[in-house]
PDB file of all heavy atoms in Angstrom:
ATOM      1  N   LYS T 276    -107.445 -22.166-126.075  1.00  0.00           N
ATOM      2  CA  LYS T 276    -106.351 -23.093-126.264  1.00  0.00           C
ATOM      3  C   LYS T 276    -106.608 -24.133-127.374  1.00  0.00           C
ATOM      4  O   LYS T 276    -105.669 -24.715-127.890  1.00  0.00           O
ATOM      5  CB  LYS T 276    -105.932 -23.755-124.941  1.00  0.00           C
ATOM      6  CG  LYS T 276    -106.969 -24.662-124.325  1.00  0.00           C
ATOM      7  CD  LYS T 276    -106.335 -25.488-123.195  1.00  0.00           C
ATOM      8  CE  LYS T 276    -107.295 -26.505-122.606  1.00  0.00           C
ATOM      9  NZ  LYS T 276    -108.158 -25.971-121.549  1.00  0.00           N
ATOM     10  N   ASN T 277    -107.883 -24.325-127.700  1.00  0.00           N
ATOM     11  CA  ASN T 277    -108.199 -25.310-128.747  1.00  0.00           C
ATOM     12  C   ASN T 277    -108.201 -24.749-130.151  1.00  0.00           C
ATOM     13  O   ASN T 277    -108.410 -25.423-131.152  1.00  0.00           O
ATOM     14  CB  ASN T 277    -109.539 -25.964-128.482  1.00  0.00           C
ATOM     15  CG  ASN T 277    -109.442 -26.838-127.221  1.00  0.00           C
ATOM     16  OD1 ASN T 277    -108.379 -27.406-126.936  1.00  0.00           O
ATOM     17  ND2 ASN T 277    -110.498 -26.902-126.464  1.00  0.00           N
ATOM     18  N   ILE T 278    -107.978 -23.418-130.267  1.00  0.00           N
ATOM     19  CA  ILE T 278    -107.849 -22.827-131.598  1.00  0.00           C
ATOM     20  C   ILE T 278    -106.394 -23.094-132.069  1.00  0.00           C
ATOM     21  O   ILE T 278    -105.442 -22.560-131.510  1.00  0.00           O
ATOM     22  CB  ILE T 278    -108.156 -21.336-131.606  1.00  0.00           C
ATOM     23  CG1 ILE T 278    -109.556 -21.087-131.027  1.00  0.00           C
ATOM     24  CG2 ILE T 278    -108.047 -20.734-132.989  1.00  0.00           C
ATOM     25  CD1 ILE T 278    -109.931 -19.630-130.882  1.00  0.00           C
ATOM     26  N   LEU T 279    -106.299 -23.913-133.112  1.00  0.00           N
ATOM     27  CA  LEU T 279    -104.964 -24.412-133.522  1.00  0.00           C
ATOM     28  C   LEU T 279    -104.067 -23.268-134.021  1.00  0.00           C
ATOM     29  O   LEU T 279    -102.846 -23.375-133.933  1.00  0.00           O
ATOM     30  CB  LEU T 279    -105.069 -25.497-134.579  1.00  0.00           C
ATOM     31  CG  LEU T 279    -105.721 -26.797-134.046  1.00  0.00           C
ATOM     32  CD1 LEU T 279    -105.978 -27.777-135.199  1.00  0.00           C
ATOM     33  CD2 LEU T 279    -104.846 -27.408-132.967  1.00  0.00           C
ATOM     34  N   LYS T 280    -104.653 -22.238-134.555  1.00  0.00           N
ATOM     35  CA  LYS T 280    -103.850 -21.174-135.147  1.00  0.00           C
ATOM     36  C   LYS T 280    -103.416 -20.105-134.148  1.00  0.00           C
ATOM     37  O   LYS T 280    -102.804 -19.108-134.505  1.00  0.00           O
ATOM     38  CB  LYS T 280    -104.609 -20.521-136.316  1.00  0.00           C
ATOM     39  CG  LYS T 280    -104.720 -21.471-137.498  1.00  0.00           C
ATOM     40  CD  LYS T 280    -105.590 -20.901-138.595  1.00  0.00           C
ATOM     41  CE  LYS T 280    -105.591 -21.849-139.788  1.00  0.00           C
ATOM     42  NZ  LYS T 280    -106.734 -21.506-140.684  1.00  0.00           N
ATOM     43  N   ILE T 281    -103.690 -20.382-132.857  1.00  0.00           N
ATOM     44  CA  ILE T 281    -103.280 -19.477-131.800  1.00  0.00           C
ATOM     45  C   ILE T 281    -102.369 -20.210-130.839  1.00  0.00           C
ATOM     46  O   ILE T 281    -102.642 -21.349-130.480  1.00  0.00           O
ATOM     47  CB  ILE T 281    -104.521 -18.996-131.022  1.00  0.00           C
ATOM     48  CG1 ILE T 281    -105.303 -17.954-131.796  1.00  0.00           C
ATOM     49  CG2 ILE T 281    -104.094 -18.402-129.676  1.00  0.00           C
ATOM     50  CD1 ILE T 281    -106.530 -17.465-131.014  1.00  0.00           C
ATOM     51  N   GLN T 282    -101.329 -19.536-130.377  1.00  0.00           N
ATOM     52  CA  GLN T 282    -100.613 -20.062-129.195  1.00  0.00           C
ATOM     53  C   GLN T 282    -100.864 -19.158-128.038  1.00  0.00           C
ATOM     54  O   GLN T 282    -100.544 -17.950-128.039  1.00  0.00           O
ATOM     55  CB  GLN T 282     -99.114 -20.197-129.443  1.00  0.00           C
ATOM     56  CG  GLN T 282     -98.447 -20.934-128.256  1.00  0.00           C
ATOM     57  CD  GLN T 282     -96.953 -21.032-128.337  1.00  0.00           C
ATOM     58  OE1 GLN T 282     -96.386 -21.359-129.384  1.00  0.00           O
ATOM     59  NE2 GLN T 282     -96.269 -20.733-127.219  1.00  0.00           N
ATOM     60  N   THR T 283    -101.481 -19.731-126.978  1.00  0.00           N
ATOM     61  CA  THR T 283    -101.745 -18.955-125.755  1.00  0.00           C
ATOM     62  C   THR T 283    -100.449 -18.838-124.958  1.00  0.00           C
ATOM     63  O   THR T 283     -99.533 -19.610-125.181  1.00  0.00           O
ATOM     64  CB  THR T 283    -102.855 -19.627-124.941  1.00  0.00           C
ATOM     65  OG1 THR T 283    -102.474 -20.985-124.711  1.00  0.00           O
ATOM     66  CG2 THR T 283    -104.182 -19.572-125.669  1.00  0.00           C
ATOM     67  N   PRO T 284    -100.370 -17.914-123.993  1.00  0.00           N
ATOM     68  CA  PRO T 284     -99.113 -17.696-123.280  1.00  0.00           C
ATOM     69  C   PRO T 284     -98.625 -18.950-122.563  1.00  0.00           C
ATOM     70  O   PRO T 284     -99.396 -19.675-121.955  1.00  0.00           O
ATOM     71  CB  PRO T 284     -99.472 -16.617-122.255  1.00  0.00           C
ATOM     72  CG  PRO T 284    -100.631 -15.914-122.844  1.00  0.00           C
ATOM     73  CD  PRO T 284    -101.399 -16.969-123.604  1.00  0.00           C
ATOM     74  N   VAL T 285     -97.305 -19.219-122.693  1.00  0.00           N
ATOM     75  CA  VAL T 285     -96.700 -20.347-122.043  1.00  0.00           C
ATOM     76  C   VAL T 285     -96.190 -19.906-120.666  1.00  0.00           C
ATOM     77  O   VAL T 285     -95.528 -18.888-120.529  1.00  0.00           O
ATOM     78  CB  VAL T 285     -95.498 -20.868-122.863  1.00  0.00           C
ATOM     79  CG1 VAL T 285     -94.733 -21.950-122.105  1.00  0.00           C
ATOM     80  CG2 VAL T 285     -96.005 -21.391-124.225  1.00  0.00           C
ATOM     81  N   ARG T 286     -96.588 -20.669-119.650  1.00  0.00           N
ATOM     82  CA  ARG T 286     -96.216 -20.270-118.275  1.00  0.00           C
ATOM     83  C   ARG T 286     -95.116 -21.235-117.770  1.00  0.00           C
ATOM     84  O   ARG T 286     -95.368 -22.425-117.664  1.00  0.00           O
ATOM     85  CB  ARG T 286     -97.392 -20.338-117.336  1.00  0.00           C
ATOM     86  CG  ARG T 286     -98.662 -19.636-117.858  1.00  0.00           C
ATOM     87  CD  ARG T 286     -99.721 -19.648-116.807  1.00  0.00           C
ATOM     88  NE  ARG T 286    -101.044 -19.336-117.362  1.00  0.00           N
ATOM     89  CZ  ARG T 286    -102.115 -19.079-116.628  1.00  0.00           C
ATOM     90  NH1 ARG T 286    -102.029 -19.119-115.309  1.00  0.00           N
ATOM     91  NH2 ARG T 286    -103.273 -18.789-117.203  1.00  0.00           N
ATOM     92  N   VAL T 287     -93.962 -20.691-117.431  1.00  0.00           N
ATOM     93  CA  VAL T 287     -92.961 -21.526-116.794  1.00  0.00           C
ATOM     94  C   VAL T 287     -92.603 -21.005-115.433  1.00  0.00           C
ATOM     95  O   VAL T 287     -92.189 -21.762-114.561  1.00  0.00           O
ATOM     96  CB  VAL T 287     -91.670 -21.645-117.664  1.00  0.00           C
ATOM     97  CG1 VAL T 287     -91.956 -22.320-119.002  1.00  0.00           C
ATOM     98  CG2 VAL T 287     -91.020 -20.279-117.902  1.00  0.00           C
ATOM     99  N   ASN T 288     -92.794 -19.722-115.202  1.00  0.00           N
ATOM    100  CA  ASN T 288     -92.646 -19.119-113.874  1.00  0.00           C
ATOM    101  C   ASN T 288     -93.935 -18.466-113.498  1.00  0.00           C
ATOM    102  O   ASN T 288     -94.852 -18.334-114.338  1.00  0.00           O
ATOM    103  CB  ASN T 288     -91.499 -18.108-113.894  1.00  0.00           C
ATOM    104  CG  ASN T 288     -90.136 -18.764-114.174  1.00  0.00           C
ATOM    105  OD1 ASN T 288     -89.876 -19.846-113.674  1.00  0.00           O
ATOM    106  ND2 ASN T 288     -89.338 -18.104-114.986  1.00  0.00           N
ATOM    107  N   THR T 289     -94.053 -18.023-112.242  1.00  0.00           N
ATOM    108  CA  THR T 289     -95.261 -17.302-111.843  1.00  0.00           C
ATOM    109  C   THR T 289     -95.557 -16.160-112.805  1.00  0.00           C
ATOM    110  O   THR T 289     -94.677 -15.319-113.016  1.00  0.00           O
ATOM    111  CB  THR T 289     -95.119 -16.713-110.415  1.00  0.00           C
ATOM    112  OG1 THR T 289     -94.792 -17.799-109.563  1.00  0.00           O
ATOM    113  CG2 THR T 289     -96.394 -16.053-109.954  1.00  0.00           C
ATOM    114  N   HIS T 290     -96.732 -16.146-113.412  1.00  0.00           N
ATOM    115  CA  HIS T 290     -97.046 -15.145-114.428  1.00  0.00           C
ATOM    116  C   HIS T 290     -98.125 -14.184-113.857  1.00  0.00           C
ATOM    117  O   HIS T 290     -99.168 -14.617-113.431  1.00  0.00           O
ATOM    118  CB  HIS T 290     -97.573 -15.857-115.681  1.00  0.00           C
ATOM    119  CG  HIS T 290     -97.493 -15.044-116.928  1.00  0.00           C
ATOM    120  ND1 HIS T 290     -97.755 -13.707-116.984  1.00  0.00           N
ATOM    121  CD2 HIS T 290     -97.108 -15.392-118.191  1.00  0.00           C
ATOM    122  CE1 HIS T 290     -97.596 -13.268-118.225  1.00  0.00           C
ATOM    123  NE2 HIS T 290     -97.183 -14.264-118.972  1.00  0.00           N
ATOM    124  N   THR T 291     -97.795 -12.874-113.833  1.00  0.00           N
ATOM    125  CA  THR T 291     -98.747 -11.922-113.280  1.00  0.00           C
ATOM    126  C   THR T 291     -99.565 -11.207-114.363  1.00  0.00           C
ATOM    127  O   THR T 291    -100.330 -10.298-114.055  1.00  0.00           O
ATOM    128  CB  THR T 291     -97.993 -10.865-112.423  1.00  0.00           C
ATOM    129  OG1 THR T 291     -97.031 -10.221-113.270  1.00  0.00           O
ATOM    130  CG2 THR T 291     -97.311 -11.500-111.244  1.00  0.00           C
ATOM    131  N   PHE T 292     -99.378 -11.622-115.586  1.00  0.00           N
ATOM    132  CA  PHE T 292    -100.205 -11.155-116.706  1.00  0.00           C
ATOM    133  C   PHE T 292    -100.382  -9.650-116.783  1.00  0.00           C
ATOM    134  O   PHE T 292    -101.493  -9.153-116.812  1.00  0.00           O
ATOM    135  CB  PHE T 292    -101.544 -11.896-116.734  1.00  0.00           C
ATOM    136  CG  PHE T 292    -101.364 -13.308-117.167  1.00  0.00           C
ATOM    137  CD1 PHE T 292    -101.305 -14.343-116.260  1.00  0.00           C
ATOM    138  CD2 PHE T 292    -101.153 -13.617-118.537  1.00  0.00           C
ATOM    139  CE1 PHE T 292    -101.063 -15.673-116.655  1.00  0.00           C
ATOM    140  CE2 PHE T 292    -100.903 -14.915-118.935  1.00  0.00           C
ATOM    141  CZ  PHE T 292    -100.875 -15.955-118.018  1.00  0.00           C
ATOM    142  N   HIS T 293     -99.265  -8.980-116.807  1.00  0.00           N
ATOM    143  CA  HIS T 293     -99.318  -7.556-117.197  1.00  0.00           C
ATOM    144  C   HIS T 293     -99.890  -7.464-118.618  1.00  0.00           C
ATOM    145  O   HIS T 293    -100.695  -6.590-118.914  1.00  0.00           O
ATOM    146  CB  HIS T 293     -97.906  -6.924-117.165  1.00  0.00           C
ATOM    147  CG  HIS T 293     -97.912  -5.509-117.638  1.00  0.00           C
ATOM    148  ND1 HIS T 293     -98.698  -4.537-117.066  1.00  0.00           N
ATOM    149  CD2 HIS T 293     -97.256  -4.909-118.665  1.00  0.00           C
ATOM    150  CE1 HIS T 293     -98.507  -3.397-117.703  1.00  0.00           C
ATOM    151  NE2 HIS T 293     -97.655  -3.601-118.689  1.00  0.00           N
ATOM    152  N   GLN T 294     -99.467  -8.429-119.455  1.00  0.00           N
ATOM    153  CA  GLN T 294    -100.103  -8.563-120.765  1.00  0.00           C
ATOM    154  C   GLN T 294    -100.507 -10.021-120.921  1.00  0.00           C
ATOM    155  O   GLN T 294     -99.835 -10.934-120.423  1.00  0.00           O
ATOM    156  CB  GLN T 294     -99.132  -8.199-121.888  1.00  0.00           C
ATOM    157  CG  GLN T 294     -98.629  -6.766-121.852  1.00  0.00           C
ATOM    158  CD  GLN T 294     -99.758  -5.747-122.009  1.00  0.00           C
ATOM    159  OE1 GLN T 294    -100.865  -6.056-122.498  1.00  0.00           O
ATOM    160  NE2 GLN T 294     -99.478  -4.518-121.596  1.00  0.00           N
ATOM    161  N   TYR T 295    -101.593 -10.229-121.674  1.00  0.00           N
ATOM    162  CA  TYR T 295    -101.956 -11.549-122.145  1.00  0.00           C
ATOM    163  C   TYR T 295    -101.698 -11.555-123.649  1.00  0.00           C
ATOM    164  O   TYR T 295    -102.437 -10.978-124.398  1.00  0.00           O
ATOM    165  CB  TYR T 295    -103.425 -11.858-121.849  1.00  0.00           C
ATOM    166  CG  TYR T 295    -103.817 -13.294-122.181  1.00  0.00           C
ATOM    167  CD1 TYR T 295    -103.698 -14.300-121.247  1.00  0.00           C
ATOM    168  CD2 TYR T 295    -104.249 -13.616-123.470  1.00  0.00           C
ATOM    169  CE1 TYR T 295    -104.000 -15.633-121.552  1.00  0.00           C
ATOM    170  CE2 TYR T 295    -104.572 -14.941-123.798  1.00  0.00           C
ATOM    171  CZ  TYR T 295    -104.455 -15.926-122.829  1.00  0.00           C
ATOM    172  OH  TYR T 295    -104.775 -17.216-123.159  1.00  0.00           O
ATOM    173  N   THR T 296    -100.573 -12.233-124.016  1.00  0.00           N
ATOM    174  CA  THR T 296    -100.078 -12.068-125.382  1.00  0.00           C
ATOM    175  C   THR T 296    -100.142 -13.352-126.161  1.00  0.00           C
ATOM    176  O   THR T 296     -99.579 -14.375-125.760  1.00  0.00           O
ATOM    177  CB  THR T 296     -98.641 -11.538-125.353  1.00  0.00           C
ATOM    178  OG1 THR T 296     -98.649 -10.283-124.614  1.00  0.00           O
ATOM    179  CG2 THR T 296     -98.094 -11.269-126.753  1.00  0.00           C
ATOM    180  N   LEU T 297    -100.873 -13.311-127.273  1.00  0.00           N
ATOM    181  CA  LEU T 297    -101.034 -14.489-128.137  1.00  0.00           C
ATOM    182  C   LEU T 297     -99.959 -14.470-129.211  1.00  0.00           C
ATOM    183  O   LEU T 297     -99.450 -13.401-129.567  1.00  0.00           O
ATOM    184  CB  LEU T 297    -102.384 -14.447-128.857  1.00  0.00           C
ATOM    185  CG  LEU T 297    -103.618 -14.425-127.992  1.00  0.00           C
ATOM    186  CD1 LEU T 297    -104.849 -14.205-128.880  1.00  0.00           C
ATOM    187  CD2 LEU T 297    -103.775 -15.712-127.197  1.00  0.00           C
ATOM    188  N   LYS T 298     -99.651 -15.650-129.748  1.00  0.00           N
ATOM    189  CA  LYS T 298     -98.848 -15.721-130.962  1.00  0.00           C
ATOM    190  C   LYS T 298     -99.761 -16.250-132.081  1.00  0.00           C
ATOM    191  O   LYS T 298    -100.465 -17.274-131.882  1.00  0.00           O
ATOM    192  CB  LYS T 298     -97.678 -16.670-130.782  1.00  0.00           C
ATOM    193  CG  LYS T 298     -96.502 -16.047-130.086  1.00  0.00           C
ATOM    194  CD  LYS T 298     -95.194 -16.824-130.290  1.00  0.00           C
ATOM    195  CE  LYS T 298     -95.242 -18.231-129.838  1.00  0.00           C
ATOM    196  NZ  LYS T 298     -94.014 -18.959-130.131  1.00  0.00           N
ATOM    197  N   ILE T 299     -99.766 -15.569-133.203  1.00  0.00           N
ATOM    198  CA  ILE T 299    -100.594 -15.931-134.315  1.00  0.00           C
ATOM    199  C   ILE T 299     -99.761 -15.839-135.592  1.00  0.00           C
ATOM    200  O   ILE T 299     -98.900 -14.968-135.670  1.00  0.00           O
ATOM    201  CB  ILE T 299    -101.777 -14.928-134.452  1.00  0.00           C
ATOM    202  CG1 ILE T 299    -102.578 -14.910-133.137  1.00  0.00           C
ATOM    203  CG2 ILE T 299    -102.704 -15.271-135.614  1.00  0.00           C
ATOM    204  CD1 ILE T 299    -103.227 -13.589-132.879  1.00  0.00           C
ATOM    205  N   LYS T 300    -100.022 -16.729-136.543  1.00  0.00           N
ATOM    206  CA  LYS T 300     -99.287 -16.649-137.808  1.00  0.00           C
ATOM    207  C   LYS T 300     -99.328 -15.210-138.356  1.00  0.00           C
ATOM    208  O   LYS T 300    -100.353 -14.596-138.407  1.00  0.00           O
ATOM    209  CB  LYS T 300     -99.944 -17.535-138.850  1.00  0.00           C
ATOM    210  CG  LYS T 300     -99.480 -18.979-138.818  1.00  0.00           C
ATOM    211  CD  LYS T 300     -99.513 -19.566-140.242  1.00  0.00           C
ATOM    212  CE  LYS T 300     -98.993 -20.982-140.261  1.00  0.00           C
ATOM    213  NZ  LYS T 300     -99.991 -21.936-139.740  1.00  0.00           N
ATOM    214  N   PRO T 301     -98.156 -14.687-138.754  1.00  0.00           N
ATOM    215  CA  PRO T 301     -98.089 -13.293-139.251  1.00  0.00           C
ATOM    216  C   PRO T 301     -99.161 -12.970-140.310  1.00  0.00           C
ATOM    217  O   PRO T 301     -99.697 -11.849-140.294  1.00  0.00           O
ATOM    218  CB  PRO T 301     -96.680 -13.221-139.833  1.00  0.00           C
ATOM    219  CG  PRO T 301     -95.862 -14.168-139.048  1.00  0.00           C
ATOM    220  CD  PRO T 301     -96.813 -15.308-138.742  1.00  0.00           C
ATOM    221  N   VAL T 302     -99.491 -13.896-141.189  1.00  0.00           N
ATOM    222  CA  VAL T 302    -100.466 -13.600-142.233  1.00  0.00           C
ATOM    223  C   VAL T 302    -101.853 -13.349-141.668  1.00  0.00           C
ATOM    224  O   VAL T 302    -102.686 -12.737-142.309  1.00  0.00           O
ATOM    225  CB  VAL T 302    -100.527 -14.698-143.321  1.00  0.00           C
ATOM    226  CG1 VAL T 302     -99.333 -14.671-144.221  1.00  0.00           C
ATOM    227  CG2 VAL T 302    -100.797 -16.050-142.707  1.00  0.00           C
TER     228      VAL T 302
END
Side-chain angles (χ1 to χ4, degrees):
K276 66 168 185 273
N277 292 328
I278 303 176
L279 292 174
K280 288 175 178 163
I281 284 180
Q282 187 185 314
T283 54
V285 173
R286 310 185 196 191
V287 298
N288 294 321
T289 303
H290 201 319
T291 58
F292 288 99
H293 176 59
Q294 299 297 343
Y295 185 90
T296 303
L297 301 173
K298 279 199 300 177
I299 303 152
K300 274 212 177 78
V302 288

